[in-house]
Amino acid sequence: MKESIINKKLLRMMFGFIFIGGGAAILGIYHAAKNARYSLRYAVKEYDADIFV
């Protein structure tokens, strides 16, 4: 009986870490994509300014 309780708690902890880690990974990817989008816009604007000058 004690082993099954321990196993359930262990599985809950493992799934909790996976859930939290997955959420952090999604936020990290979103943050990286957001920063990449701004840096690309900045590079394009700078490149356009060089052409017209």
Side-chain angles (χ1 to χ4, degrees):
M1 193 72 174
K2 288 183 180 180
E3 289 180 16
S4 108
I5 292 172
I6 291 171
N7 286 340
K8 285 181 183 179
K9 286 184 180 180
L10 184 62
L11 285 174
R12 283 183 190 162
M13 282 181 29
M14 287 172 54
F15 283 120
F17 283 131
I18 290 171
F19 181 74
I20 291 170
I26 290 170
L27 286 175
I29 292 169
Y30 172 74
H31 184 67
K34 190 175 177 183
N35 285 343
R37 189 177 337 144
Y38 288 131
S39 67
L40 288 175
R41 285 184 187 169
Y42 178 73
V44 168
K45 285 181 182 178
E46 193 174 293
Y47 182 70
D48 288 342
D50 289 342
I51 290 174
F52 291 115
V53 171

